Amino acid sequence: MMTLTEENYLKALFHLSTENEEVSVLDLSKSLTIKMPTVNSMVKKLSGKGLISYEKYKPLMLTQSGKRAAGLIIRKHRLVEMFLVQHLGFGWDEVHEIAEQIEHIKSQRFFDRIDQLLDFPKVDPHGSPIPDINGEVVFQNYKKLEECVENQMVMFMSVGSSQDSFLKLIDKLNLKLGDIIKVLEIQEFDKTMRVLVNETSEQNLSQMVAANILVKT
């Protein structure tokens, strides 16, 4: 059985691995804001448990067992987030910290019941995929809104940032998952986008905001 700290390490490495081709101990240290000697010690411990592939001066990799374990932790987290939004009335900007605490409950039956109650959702409130009961994740090939061109029409599917400030801004702009966005104009100087949402309202989006809105054509 893993400790809470071990689970957090696996989850952090999983997320880093989906964003970068190679992940170092330094990357993991920065992500967790934990000093290098402590991270090194934990990495070696997880390697000894067969969860991480670790060789000095080489990138860190999750083993198949490590990927499954990390996927199951993320599954718990995202199911809890969806439950908090759909059944307890929390905003999508409020659920991350609560889910961080609940995800470490060991009872698999507890989370399976939540999954059943939610009618087996495929994504969480932020549009991120929920791993299945085996910890497998189906990644979607979404693109960033900032990569789109003028007159292109796309659907808002997910967010690239779960920071409270970003999610609150999206709410303030009255943008929601599933919205149809048409790029009307892109400013040459700072890449600000003028967009039409659901053929009804226009919004100006900064490049930083557009970089964190994930869409599909």
Side-chain angles (χ1 to χ4, degrees), residues 169-186:
L169 176 58
I170 293 298
D171 283 340
K172 187 175 181 180
L173 293 170
N174 201 30
L175 288 171
K176 298 178 179 62
L177 299 185
D179 283 350
I180 302 300
I181 300 173
K182 182 178 182 180
V183 180
L184 299 177
E185 183 182 11
I186 303 173

Side-chain angles (χ1 to χ4, degrees), residues 9 16 45 53 75 93 140 168 172 197-198 201 210 215:
Y9 269 78
L16 287 170
K45 182 178 179 182
S53 176
R75 168 181 165 81
D93 59 304
Q140 300 293 337
K168 287 176 180 177
K172 187 175 181 180
V197 182
N198 295 328
S201 63
V215 300

Side-chain angles (χ1 to χ4, degrees), residues 11 74 76-103 111 118 123-128 130 159 161-165 167-168 171 177:
K11 189 174 67 169
I74 293 165
K76 294 175 181 180
H77 183 101
R78 292 177 178 173
L79 282 173
V80 169
E81 287 190 332
M82 185 61 89
F83 177 78
L84 291 171
V85 168
Q86 287 197 356
H87 288 272
L88 297 185
F90 283 86
W92 68 340
D93 59 304
E94 300 177 300
V95 296
H96 179 72
E97 293 301 324
I98 302 172
E100 285 279 302
Q101 300 170 50
I102 298 176
E103 70 185 28
F111 294 99
L118 294 170
V123 297
D124 73 4
H126 311 105
S128 300
I130 296 175
V159 292
S161 170
S162 59
Q163 290 186 30
D164 293 356
S165 55
L167 298 175
K168 287 176 180 177
D171 283 340
L177 299 185

Side-chain angles (χ1 to χ4, degrees), residues 56-72:
K56 201 170 184 179
Y57 306 121
K58 290 188 177 181
L60 298 174
M61 290 188 297
L62 289 168
T63 64
Q64 283 303 115
S65 295
K67 286 180 182 178
R68 183 179 188 277
L72 290 174

Side-chain angles (χ1 to χ4, degrees), residues 17-55:
S17 299
T18 61
E19 298 166 1
N20 306 280
E21 289 186 9
E22 295 186 351
V23 180
S24 67
V25 175
L26 178 59
D27 294 328
L28 190 55
S29 173
K30 289 179 178 178
S31 174
L32 293 166
T33 61
I34 297 174
K35 294 180 179 179
M36 283 281 286
T38 303
V39 175
N40 262 314
S41 177
M42 179 58 76
V43 163
K44 290 175 183 177
K45 182 178 179 182
L46 292 171
S47 176
K49 290 187 172 185
L51 298 169
I52 289 180
S53 176
Y54 169 71
E55 291 183 54

Side-chain angles (χ1 to χ4, degrees), residues 95-117:
V95 296
H96 179 72
E97 293 301 324
I98 302 172
E100 285 279 302
Q101 300 170 50
I102 298 176
E103 70 185 28
H104 299 291
I105 292 174
K106 302 302 180 186
S107 172
Q108 188 60 49
R109 185 182 177 192
F110 173 77
F111 294 99
D112 288 345
R113 291 293 296 272
I114 290 177
D115 192 23
Q116 183 180 23
L117 181 64

Side-chain angles (χ1 to χ4, degrees), residues 180-196:
I180 302 300
I181 300 173
K182 182 178 182 180
V183 180
L184 299 177
E185 183 182 11
I186 303 173
Q187 296 294 332
E188 183 178 354
F189 175 68
D190 61 0
K191 305 303 179 185
T192 294
M193 281 187 169
R194 183 166 63 89
V195 301
L196 180 66

